[in-house]
Amino acid sequence: MEKKIYIGNLAQEATEDDLRHNFEQLGKVVSVQIVRDRYTGLSRGFGFVEMDTEEEAAEVIKSFNNGELYGKKLIVNEAKPRKESGGGRGFGGGRSGGGGRSGGGGGRRY
């Protein structure tokens, strides 16, 4: 059974080939994806690697969590299933008393 692993704190220089090359030393890598900003194309600093078996995934987590890649300490753990969203962003809940924003103004808006 394939197992997906979360890789966090990735350096901007890190590539999918870097992850594949490192992780395939411990087993068969099924897929690699670095999540990128849809507008800029830049890495968002995390990604996912799918290993062929749960045993290989466990070995990757044990071996690479807190390891370094391009000078940044990696966070490597089991990927959690994506939570289903409740259908968009809600407006108006949760605040009591007077609606609107409170707090200072100041500052420029672009």
Side-chain angles (χ1 to χ4, degrees):
M1 181 177 178
E2 297 167 353
K3 192 66 169 181
K4 196 174 247 188
I5 301 167
Y6 167 84
I7 315 299
N9 202 34
L10 285 172
Q12 285 295 314
E13 302 90 346
T15 67
E16 291 171 348
D17 286 340
D18 290 330
L19 296 178
R20 182 178 300 279
H21 175 74
N22 282 296
F23 289 15
E24 70 187 1
Q25 296 173 34
L26 298 174
K28 181 179 177 192
V29 175
V30 176
S31 67
V32 179
Q33 176 193 17
I34 292 178
V35 177
R36 300 191 177 281
D37 181 275
R38 73 175 72 182
Y39 301 108
T40 66
L42 296 174
S43 169
R44 292 187 54 204
F46 69 96
F48 299 94
V49 173
E50 195 170 1
M51 300 300 292
D52 193 43
T53 67
E54 290 190 31
E55 292 79 16
E56 291 169 349
E59 189 62 33
V60 164
I61 292 168
K62 187 172 88 174
S63 297
F64 286 99
N65 190 39
N66 292 318
E68 277 193 20
L69 182 62
Y70 292 105
K72 291 189 78 171
K73 192 175 279 196
L74 296 176
I75 299 167
V76 182
N77 54 39
E78 184 178 331
K80 308 251 185 311
R82 210 172 190 183
K83 291 181 181 175
E84 292 295 320
S85 67
R89 297 196 170 149
F91 290 98
R95 291 192 195 177
S96 60
R101 289 187 163 166
S102 62
R108 236 178 160 150
R109 301 205 182 215
Y110 295 96

